[in-house]
Amino acid sequence: MLNILPRIRIPLRCYSAVLTARNENFAKVKQSDIMAFENFLGKDGVQKDDISNHTTDWTGQFKGHGSLVLYPKSTDEVSAILAYCSKNKLAVVPQGGNTGLVGGSIPVHDEIILSMNKISQQFAFDDTMGILKCDAGFILEELDNKLAKHGYMMPFDLGAKGSCQIGGNIATCAGGIRLIRYGSLHAHLLGVTVVLPDEQGSVLHLGSDIRKDNTSLHTPHLFLGSEGQLGVITSVTMTAVPRPKSVQSAMLGVQSFEKCCEVLKLAKSRLCEVLSSFEFLDDAIMECLKTNLGLHPVLNSPTPFSILVETSGSNEDHDMEKMSAFLDELLSKKLIVDGVLAGSSADAAKMWKLRESAPLAVTRDGYVYKHDVSLPLNSYYELTNVMKERCGDLAKRVVTYGHLGDGNTHLNITSSKQNENLEKLYVSILIPILLLIFRMYPFLYEWVVAHGGSISAEHGIGQLKLPYSNLGKESEERLLTKKLKNIFDPNGILNPYKMI
Ligand code: FAD
Ligand code: MLT
Ligand code: ZN
């Protein structure tokens, strides 16, 4: 029996169930369609068997039923596919590296998977202006390695860098561990080539290849976070940033969340222009990393909270002096109880291994309820405490890591398997009162919105958050989004049953 009630008054709302029924306006793939695809892609551009790596997501929690994967090699081939599918009412899911965490790249029913894996030929870089133009199928890490040769790097970095693609990054408006320094992808995107799912498979070149252009609406930015709803991105133009010559990393042990916020404040003021990451891990994720992956903390004594702080600059002595002075000040002000400054890149890699392995560690518990919400800092860790109390023994673990410097928390609630009692509605009749208690959902998302946050800071809506996607959004904004979707995708064939 639950003994906790919501601490805040939240109006009861209605949530429409996720639309799971197949839309019968869509055609089913026929042999003649496969022949048509083979005709314009070649036989190696069409795959019918062994496609489970395209129909299952990274967590293994989303499994779709698609039976066909197409591998176009160029914008023209994407155009031919989308024109054909639009005319023949065949639903399509764009798929990049398939590392998304909300089921956005997985077919729900029998949608055709349009893989971008083979669109990774064109790469151009202007090393004076720092402007990169490349095909959408390039893997983030590959791009970063290419830029390294020019003394530049990608302005964002994710644990999934070895698999995610730049097109997928744009389509999800990926955040990651450098946002505190370089800002979101909105600050970097200059142009995109997109193919629309209309009967012409229209190819649009939006934005430009130059840094400043205020001659139109900023249409490329419509595709940031568009989750494959509006069109297929085939090429991206964006800015890269100079690669730092000096990188300092430190792991800090902190006793209270309030002190973590004080450390952040001081980091911004003292490390200022060189501060490049400010990541957070609580003791529960540290324990999970140890138990599930055998990864041990780098700090000597366990503390409730650990912070991974990084600076990136161009002068080792200057940056080291700043970092050392910062650490001294933290110790003298008793804001931290322990701290390790990486003495080598191997030390730094150990620290980052802990943070970047957190998503994998939680999956090893069996089933994980993932969250990527943003909150004002005074509510950031309160959410974890509230959920710990609500889930009680039903959860295996309630752990938190995240991008504290961006107000983005990744609260993960694990269980050995999917547990309806843990997630959904709990109904208990205490005569004469009918008690409706929402243990996890929609409580968690309503709590976030009631505390001034967003239900998705990074991963998007996809399938996972569809029932809650109206939360915190004015109905006018939702309506405008639907109108835009109708303009771009008049037959509604692109990535149905998801975000819009
Ligand atoms: P996919 O998963 O293939 O697709 C994601 C969405 O974009 C889908 O809706 C798909 O239809 C659409 N899409 C993909 N490519 C295109 C295209 N070319 N045109 C149109 N639509 C397209 N995310 C963060 O924001 N920050 C993190 O720190 C972070 N860390 C992660 C760590 C791990 C270990 C993992 C597994 C994931 C992490 N993610 C993170 C989530 C994920 O990596 C990002 O969302 C990433 O940007 C997805 O890229 P992708 O190529 O894998 O896209
Ligand atoms: C991260 O920051 O590690 C990612 O967004 C993935 C996750 O939330 O697990
Ligand atoms: Zn993240």
Side-chain angles (χ1 to χ4, degrees), residues 248-252 279 281 286 289 295-299 307-310 323 339-358:
Q248 313 299 328
S249 310
M251 189 71 103
L252 315 173
E279 296 290 310
L281 301 109
M286 284 298 190
L289 284 158
L295 294 174
H296 292 268
V298 295
L299 294 175
I307 287 168
L308 178 45
V309 62
E310 189 188 78
M323 182 66 114
V340 177
L341 180 59
S344 63
S345 52
D347 284 351
K350 243 187 198 168
M351 294 174 184
W352 278 108
K353 176 104 181 154
L354 287 166
R355 171 60 186 87
E356 293 195 328
S357 303

Side-chain angles (χ1 to χ4, degrees), residues 101 355 359 370 401 403 410 458-459:
L101 295 169
R355 171 60 186 87
K370 299 192 71 64
Y401 50 92
H403 318 286
H410 292 308
E458 283 194 326
H459 306 156

Side-chain angles (χ1 to χ4, degrees), residues 187-224:
H188 300 281
L189 186 67
L190 301 174
V192 284
T193 300
V194 293
V195 183
L196 300 190
D198 58 21
E199 297 196 0
Q200 295 71 42
S202 305
V203 177
L204 308 184
H205 302 284
L206 304 175
S208 52
D209 295 346
I210 47 176
R211 261 194 111 98
K212 295 177 86 176
D213 179 3
N214 267 351
T215 53
S216 169
L217 291 177
H218 290 212
T219 48
H221 290 73
L222 276 176
F223 285 81
L224 274 171

